[in-house]
Amino acid sequence: NAGVTQTPKFRVLKTGQSMTLLCAQDMNHEYMYWYRQDPGMGLRLIHYSVGEGTTAKGEVPDGYNVSRLKKQNFLLGLESAAPSQTSVYFCASSYWASGGAPGLGEQFFGPGTRLTVL
Amino acid sequence: TQLLEQSPQFLSIQEGENLTVYCNSSSVFSSLQWYRQEPGEGPVLLVTVVTGGEVKKLKRLTFQFGDARKDSSLHITAAQPGDTGLYLCAGAEYGNKLVFGAGTILRVKS
């Protein structure tokens, strides 16, 4: 199993350009997430999805859009990139743990995409 | 959105020393997860604590969940250079999202 993969790994954009980040998981997880990580700020949730065809806003959704047309893929789009969107972007997938202590299970993260907007 | 405060932000210690990282919130979480992240990689889960007052041990790492499920701590005994990394706590809101603390950068010098 490849787990969670992200493409591309690195990208440099000019202000105003658009791009799409692709996340794929092969673990049949229902939940998928997009985070951004900036120095000193931990991981902040951008958008997430609880199943195929669904999306929801996270903590910092402005300037981003997402789509989950297939269960295994979660796309993050930047329509008009701004320097404030320079960051490292992580995708993650997860599941609902059943059993004695039901709840949100482990999040499996991809290797990240380092985006620079000039 | 519930907030998680992690302390200290940065810790630099000598090999063999003990350390504790704290994760605090004014809100209650259904569970709390601890992750470790190395440079250039995504975070990897260390442990999940679910029950108030729960203590879990993972070799030299001890994790504790507060009785009220608002805070947690990570204690490392006899730290080694291989423990170096970014440690993140994450609280599960009653639902299907996590809220992450800002992280503690640990550097263990040999």
Side-chain angles (χ1 to χ4, degrees):
Chain A
N1 288 349
V4 178
T5 58
Q6 292 182 233
T7 53
K9 292 186 177 180
F10 302 93
R11 187 72 186 267
V12 178
L13 291 177
K14 294 181 179 179
T15 297
Q17 288 185 318
S18 63
M19 78 163 294
T20 300
L21 282 67
L22 172 63
C23 176
Q25 53 98 3
D26 60 4
M27 295 172 283
N28 201 35
H29 286 166
E30 289 295 331
Y31 306 148
M32 295 188 75
Y33 308 84
W34 275 107
Y35 296 93
R36 61 177 289 173
Q37 187 173 39
D38 303 292
M41 301 188 74
L43 289 160
R44 292 184 292 169
L45 183 63
I46 304 172
H47 286 281
Y48 65 104
S49 169
V50 299
E52 180 179 320
T54 74
T55 62
K57 294 180 180 180
E59 179 187 355
V60 288
D62 294 342
Y64 306 95
N65 57 75
V66 288
S67 64
R68 183 116 181 253
L69 299 179
K70 293 183 178 180
K71 185 177 184 178
Q72 64 267 34
N73 296 335
F74 196 29
L75 279 64
L76 177 71
L78 285 73
E79 292 185 344
S80 180
S84 60
Q85 293 177 304
T86 293
S87 187
V88 181
Y89 291 85
F90 287 99
C91 175
S93 71
S94 188
Y95 58 95
W96 189 260
S98 57
L104 188 61
E106 174 182 358
Q107 297 216 340
F108 293 82
F109 286 85
T113 295
R114 185 173 294 275
L115 175 66
T116 301
V117 183
L118 303 176
Chain B
T1 301
Q2 299 164 310
L3 297 176
L4 269 174
E5 294 186 358
Q6 237 180 289
S7 61
Q9 288 185 318
F10 181 77
L11 204 52
S12 181
I13 61 172
Q14 290 293 133
E15 182 177 3
E17 293 183 359
N18 302 331
L19 66 115
T20 303
V21 176
Y22 299 94
C23 183
N24 296 296
S25 175
S26 58
S27 302
V28 176
F29 293 101
S30 60
S31 66
L32 199 132
Q33 302 177 3
W34 285 92
Y35 291 81
R36 179 167 169 263
Q37 184 180 17
E38 298 197 28
E41 299 181 6
V44 176
L45 182 71
L46 294 172
V47 78
T48 300
V49 284
V50 179
T51 306
E54 181 178 4
V55 177
K56 279 192 174 178
K57 291 191 175 183
L58 193 67
K59 296 183 181 179
R60 293 176 295 100
L61 278 61
T62 302
F63 304 85
Q64 187 163 7
F65 201 13
D67 291 340
R69 303 209 310 278
K70 294 182 178 181
D71 54 87
S72 182
S73 64
L74 157 61
H75 182 79
I76 301 179
T77 303
Q80 299 177 0
D83 296 327
T84 293
L86 174 66
Y87 289 82
L88 295 159
C89 64
E93 299 181 324
Y94 286 94
N96 40 39
K97 297 183 294 180
L98 290 179
V99 57
F100 281 83
T104 295
I105 298 173
L106 173 64
R107 179 185 172 197
V108 182
K109 296 175 284 185
S110 57

